[in-house]
Amino acid sequence: MTHTGSGSTYDPPVDPARRARPTASASAARGHGPPPSTDRPVALVTGASSGIGAATARRFAAGGWHLLLSGRDRRRLEETAAGTSAVLLPADLAAPEGARLLAQAALRQTGRIDALVAGAGIGWAGPFRTMPHTDIDRVLFLDLNATLHLVREVLPSMVEAGRGRVVLVGSVAGCVGVREEAVYSAAKAGLAVFAEALRQELRGTGVGVTLVVPGPVETRFFARRGRPYDRSHPRPASPGSVAGAVWDAVSRGRDDAYVPAWLALPGRVRGLTPRLYRRLLNRFG
C-alpha cells in the first residue's frame, strides 16, 4: 500500500488549495468563481506519491481520466503526474483537518469527483505490548479515521450527482489478522466492515463502494514500517497489478477485488472453520 513511515513526523494542517500546483494544461485553483469544467471523469487519488497510489494514478491517466493527486511528498507527486494534466493537491491527512481541507480543494478544482481512491496509510510491525501509544493513535487515525472523514466529505457530492465510486484500499491483514501487526490489522478490518455497511446504505443512489484487498506489495511500505517483508509466501505483488485491479473494479462496478485473487480464500476458511484456520495460521503464519 502507499504509506508513510511509521516513525515519520507530521506537519500542521495546511489548506491544500493554497499549495495546489497543476501540471501540464490544468488550471490552478484560485478559490473564486465556478470550478473549471471537464468532460472527462475525475479521480481523486490519495497516497499518490508512490507505490499503489502512484501506479493507480498512472493507470487512470492512461484511461483518459482527469486526476487530482494527493500525498505529502510534492516532488514524488510531480514524478507521478509527469506527462499528464493532473492537479497536485499536497495534503497531510494525519492532520486533524486534513481530510476536510483536501476534499474542499479537490471539489473546488473540478466541482465533482467520480472516483475516490483512498490509498494513503501507514504500517507498524512488532509486538503489540511494546507498541508506543503514539503509534497506535497514528496508525488508527491515518489508516481508518482519516479515510472515513475523507469519504464523508466527498460522498454528498457523489450522491447528489447520482454517480460515483469510493475505492478503499484495504489489506489481507484486515481479513485474517497478521501476527505482530495487530493495530494495522484492526484498522484495515475496520475499513472492510465500513465498506460493507456503506455499500448497503448507498443502494439505489448510483454510488458504489469497492474494497481492494492486496496481500504484500513491492513498495516502500515494509521499509517504512520498520521491518522488511521476510516471508517466502505469498510473494509480493507489483503495484501495477493492484492498480489494474482498482481500474477493473471501477470500470466494472465491482464491490471487491483481491490481489492475487486466491487471497479471498483465507478469509472464507476463517469464516467457515475458524479452528482449522487458526491451526493453519499457527503452522504457516
Side-chain angles (χ1 to χ4, degrees), residues 11-257:
D11 303 323
V14 177
D15 185 341
R18 296 181 180 177
R19 301 194 301 181
R21 185 175 67 189
T23 62
S25 61
S27 300
R30 303 302 181 194
H32 303 290
S37 61
T38 176
D39 56 359
R40 295 182 291 162
V42 178
L44 170 60
V45 182
T46 69
S49 302
S50 62
I52 293 172
T56 298
R58 296 187 186 105
R59 181 64 187 85
F60 274 69
W65 284 55
H66 181 67
L67 297 177
L68 307 174
L69 304 183
S70 184
R72 295 188 69 246
D73 190 324
R74 170 176 284 279
R75 181 181 63 82
R76 288 186 175 276
L77 282 179
E78 291 173 344
E79 292 174 358
T80 300
T84 76
S85 61
V87 174
L88 307 186
L89 299 174
D92 183 5
L93 290 178
E97 293 293 299
R100 181 180 64 83
L101 295 174
L102 172 58
Q104 289 178 352
L107 290 169
R108 190 178 298 129
Q109 281 286 338
T110 57
R112 78 175 198 267
I113 296 171
D114 299 296
L116 166 63
V117 181
I122 58 174
W124 195 95
F128 178 68
R129 65 182 179 274
T130 67
M131 188 174 186
H133 290 278
T134 53
D135 284 331
I136 293 174
D137 293 340
R138 184 179 294 118
V139 171
L140 288 175
F141 189 88
L142 189 55
D143 289 6
L144 183 59
N145 291 21
T147 299
L148 268 59
H149 283 292
L150 182 59
V151 174
R152 169 62 182 84
E153 292 292 334
V154 170
L155 195 59
S157 65
M158 289 185 173
V159 173
E160 183 178 357
R163 66 178 184 274
R165 182 154 291 269
V166 174
V167 180
L168 306 174
V169 179
S171 169
V172 69
C175 299
V176 299
V178 174
R179 179 185 304 148
E180 296 194 345
E181 294 186 56
V183 177
Y184 178 73
S185 296
K188 293 300 186 178
L191 272 187
V193 176
F194 171 67
E196 191 63 58
L198 187 62
R199 189 179 297 125
Q200 297 303 315
E201 184 177 323
L202 294 175
R203 289 178 62 187
T205 66
V207 180
V209 180
T210 295
L211 178 68
V212 178
V213 183
V217 183
E218 293 175 346
T219 70
R220 296 187 298 162
F221 169 73
F222 296 107
R224 287 169 164 172
R225 75 174 185 176
R227 177 185 293 179
Y229 183 75
D230 56 4
R231 301 186 183 198
S232 59
H233 193 74
R235 298 180 62 182
S238 68
S241 64
V242 183
V246 173
W247 171 261
D248 185 68
V250 171
S251 301
R252 299 173 181 268
R254 292 182 172 171
D255 293 338
D256 301 286

